[in-house]
Amino acid sequence: MKRTTIKDVAEAAGVGVATVSRVLSGGSASDETRERVLAVAAHLDYRPSALGRNLRQQRTGGIGLLLPDLTDPLYGGLAEGVLACARSAGEPVLVGSTGGDPEQESELIGMLLEQSVDKVVAVPSGDADTWGPALRTGMTVVFAGERPDEPTEEPVDDLLLLDGLRSRGGDLARAEGGIPTVLADDRSGVRTAVRYLRGLGHRRIAYLGGPGHSRRVSAFREALGPLVDDDLVVFAGGTRDAAYAAASGLFQSRPDLTAVLAGGNQLGEAAVLAARELDLRIPRDLSLVMYDDVPWAELCSPPLTVIAQPARDLGYRAAELVLRAGTRRPRSVLLPTELIVRGSCGPRR
């Protein structure tokens, strides 16, 4: 006989998996929703203990790894780091793809809880509430590469800087009191790239961004100062088609721009394709810097100047934090980025 799962309860109650998790772990929900979920769970003979009531006593081992896109080279590098660290510790890894969808992320969290996986490394897609039920069961979570729902003005100075980097001060209380996070110092990387473009004489510089780019946009605006043009800060959805449409629309609406900073490798790919389609020559007509160094960037003609983040190290450090959480209080980590100058930028004409 098939065992009832949290997904079965969610479907029967007409709510999401995250809502079922919240109700059964004592989290917030309306009285009506709580009664409906509990009634359905009782009718289906679903046992809340599967949600991790005994998680602290029944450690089964293993690390859950949740990524938005398994085909993205950045997340592939991050996964390699997690797998390498887990292998050295003798821990298996369960990998899941959220597709960047918060609801799918909630379902995967529920599945991990049902399997008593008590350690998770994730590039989050949902907001902080998505992770509340997991944290209440005692699951240890470390975010890598991104934080959920970050406000634009949020500084990253509150992270612990390792690898010989000097701390810039800041208040560590929020980072240490919340979910530990391993991030690349994208603010520093963006500032360096903008200074480089300005040094080449560029003044009309665009930013092509996507979901989760609040820190990068903030750094871009800070670096340009009074030169920033709001019409040149353009956002795309999370798909390749949306990225291409945003890049093409930007280039056609603002023929006066001379340089663009693409906030990720999918956006960089879109910028290259749109420029080619519109007969814009890189770097003669348009200088391009891309955030993320991926294998194809060096194979482009010309090779792309990039802001490289240490994808493998992001994963390895995140796995280290999640594995040692039981022995010491995990703290957040900020890793350096690097501007790699190739052939896609030139002097302003």
PDB file of all heavy atoms in Angstrom, residues 60-64 83 86-87 90-94:
ATOM      1  N   THR A  60      19.745  10.897   9.729  1.00  0.00           N
ATOM      2  CA  THR A  60      19.958   9.867   8.730  1.00  0.00           C
ATOM      3  C   THR A  60      21.177  10.146   7.857  1.00  0.00           C
ATOM      4  O   THR A  60      21.595   9.291   7.094  1.00  0.00           O
ATOM      5  CB  THR A  60      18.725   9.762   7.813  1.00  0.00           C
ATOM      6  OG1 THR A  60      18.526  11.004   7.158  1.00  0.00           O
ATOM      7  CG2 THR A  60      17.496   9.422   8.636  1.00  0.00           C
ATOM      8  N   GLY A  61      21.765  11.326   7.974  1.00  0.00           N
ATOM      9  CA  GLY A  61      22.909  11.654   7.145  1.00  0.00           C
ATOM     10  C   GLY A  61      22.483  12.131   5.777  1.00  0.00           C
ATOM     11  O   GLY A  61      21.332  12.022   5.376  1.00  0.00           O
ATOM     12  N   GLY A  62      23.448  12.645   5.027  1.00  0.00           N
ATOM     13  CA  GLY A  62      23.160  13.124   3.689  1.00  0.00           C
ATOM     14  C   GLY A  62      22.891  14.618   3.659  1.00  0.00           C
ATOM     15  O   GLY A  62      22.490  15.223   4.659  1.00  0.00           O
ATOM     16  N   ILE A  63      23.145  15.208   2.487  1.00  0.00           N
ATOM     17  CA  ILE A  63      22.927  16.638   2.273  1.00  0.00           C
ATOM     18  C   ILE A  63      21.958  16.800   1.114  1.00  0.00           C
ATOM     19  O   ILE A  63      22.120  16.187   0.060  1.00  0.00           O
ATOM     20  CB  ILE A  63      24.250  17.356   1.928  1.00  0.00           C
ATOM     21  CG1 ILE A  63      25.268  17.202   3.055  1.00  0.00           C
ATOM     22  CG2 ILE A  63      24.007  18.837   1.638  1.00  0.00           C
ATOM     23  CD1 ILE A  63      26.639  17.739   2.700  1.00  0.00           C
ATOM     24  N   GLY A  64      20.950  17.620   1.300  1.00  0.00           N
ATOM     25  CA  GLY A  64      20.090  17.997   0.192  1.00  0.00           C
ATOM     26  C   GLY A  64      20.681  19.206  -0.515  1.00  0.00           C
ATOM     27  O   GLY A  64      21.184  20.123   0.129  1.00  0.00           O
ATOM     28  N   LEU A  83      29.538  18.525  -3.867  1.00  0.00           N
ATOM     29  CA  LEU A  83      29.815  17.088  -3.995  1.00  0.00           C
ATOM     30  C   LEU A  83      31.218  16.737  -3.526  1.00  0.00           C
ATOM     31  O   LEU A  83      31.434  15.707  -2.870  1.00  0.00           O
ATOM     32  CB  LEU A  83      29.622  16.652  -5.444  1.00  0.00           C
ATOM     33  CG  LEU A  83      28.171  16.680  -5.961  1.00  0.00           C
ATOM     34  CD1 LEU A  83      28.138  16.484  -7.475  1.00  0.00           C
ATOM     35  CD2 LEU A  83      27.341  15.611  -5.280  1.00  0.00           C
ATOM     36  N   ALA A  86      31.229  16.938   0.304  1.00  0.00           N
ATOM     37  CA  ALA A  86      30.448  15.833   0.857  1.00  0.00           C
ATOM     38  C   ALA A  86      31.172  14.508   0.694  1.00  0.00           C
ATOM     39  O   ALA A  86      31.147  13.658   1.595  1.00  0.00           O
ATOM     40  CB  ALA A  86      29.082  15.772   0.175  1.00  0.00           C
ATOM     41  N   ARG A  87      31.833  14.334  -0.437  1.00  0.00           N
ATOM     42  CA  ARG A  87      32.569  13.097  -0.673  1.00  0.00           C
ATOM     43  C   ARG A  87      33.693  12.912   0.339  1.00  0.00           C
ATOM     44  O   ARG A  87      33.914  11.820   0.859  1.00  0.00           O
ATOM     45  CB  ARG A  87      33.120  13.092  -2.096  1.00  0.00           C
ATOM     46  CG  ARG A  87      33.781  11.788  -2.508  1.00  0.00           C
ATOM     47  CD  ARG A  87      33.986  11.708  -4.014  1.00  0.00           C
ATOM     48  NE  ARG A  87      34.659  12.884  -4.548  1.00  0.00           N
ATOM     49  CZ  ARG A  87      34.074  13.774  -5.350  1.00  0.00           C
ATOM     50  NH1 ARG A  87      32.817  13.627  -5.680  1.00  0.00           N
ATOM     51  NH2 ARG A  87      34.756  14.797  -5.814  1.00  0.00           N
ATOM     52  N   GLY A  90      32.263  11.697   3.466  1.00  0.00           N
ATOM     53  CA  GLY A  90      31.519  10.454   3.398  1.00  0.00           C
ATOM     54  C   GLY A  90      30.015  10.628   3.444  1.00  0.00           C
ATOM     55  O   GLY A  90      29.289   9.732   3.881  1.00  0.00           O
ATOM     56  N   GLU A  91      29.522  11.781   2.967  1.00  0.00           N
ATOM     57  CA  GLU A  91      28.092  12.084   2.994  1.00  0.00           C
ATOM     58  C   GLU A  91      27.501  11.988   1.587  1.00  0.00           C
ATOM     59  O   GLU A  91      28.041  12.544   0.634  1.00  0.00           O
ATOM     60  CB  GLU A  91      27.846  13.497   3.535  1.00  0.00           C
ATOM     61  CG  GLU A  91      28.205  13.684   4.990  1.00  0.00           C
ATOM     62  CD  GLU A  91      27.068  13.286   5.917  1.00  0.00           C
ATOM     63  OE1 GLU A  91      26.020  12.826   5.428  1.00  0.00           O
ATOM     64  OE2 GLU A  91      27.237  13.439   7.133  1.00  0.00           O
ATOM     65  N   PRO A  92      26.360  11.309   1.440  1.00  0.00           N
ATOM     66  CA  PRO A  92      25.665  11.319   0.142  1.00  0.00           C
ATOM     67  C   PRO A  92      24.968  12.652  -0.087  1.00  0.00           C
ATOM     68  O   PRO A  92      24.708  13.400   0.862  1.00  0.00           O
ATOM     69  CB  PRO A  92      24.642  10.191   0.283  1.00  0.00           C
ATOM     70  CG  PRO A  92      24.354  10.131   1.748  1.00  0.00           C
ATOM     71  CD  PRO A  92      25.652  10.497   2.435  1.00  0.00           C
ATOM     72  N   VAL A  93      24.672  12.971  -1.339  1.00  0.00           N
ATOM     73  CA  VAL A  93      24.003  14.225  -1.694  1.00  0.00           C
ATOM     74  C   VAL A  93      22.776  13.922  -2.540  1.00  0.00           C
ATOM     75  O   VAL A  93      22.850  13.175  -3.511  1.00  0.00           O
ATOM     76  CB  VAL A  93      24.947  15.168  -2.481  1.00  0.00           C
ATOM     77  CG1 VAL A  93      24.221  16.445  -2.872  1.00  0.00           C
ATOM     78  CG2 VAL A  93      26.182  15.500  -1.651  1.00  0.00           C
ATOM     79  N   LEU A  94      21.643  14.497  -2.146  1.00  0.00           N
ATOM     80  CA  LEU A  94      20.410  14.405  -2.924  1.00  0.00           C
ATOM     81  C   LEU A  94      20.209  15.731  -3.636  1.00  0.00           C
ATOM     82  O   LEU A  94      20.102  16.772  -2.993  1.00  0.00           O
ATOM     83  CB  LEU A  94      19.202  14.125  -2.021  1.00  0.00           C
ATOM     84  CG  LEU A  94      19.020  12.709  -1.469  1.00  0.00           C
ATOM     85  CD1 LEU A  94      20.032  12.435  -0.362  1.00  0.00           C
ATOM     86  CD2 LEU A  94      17.610  12.522  -0.936  1.00  0.00           C
TER      87      LEU A  94
END
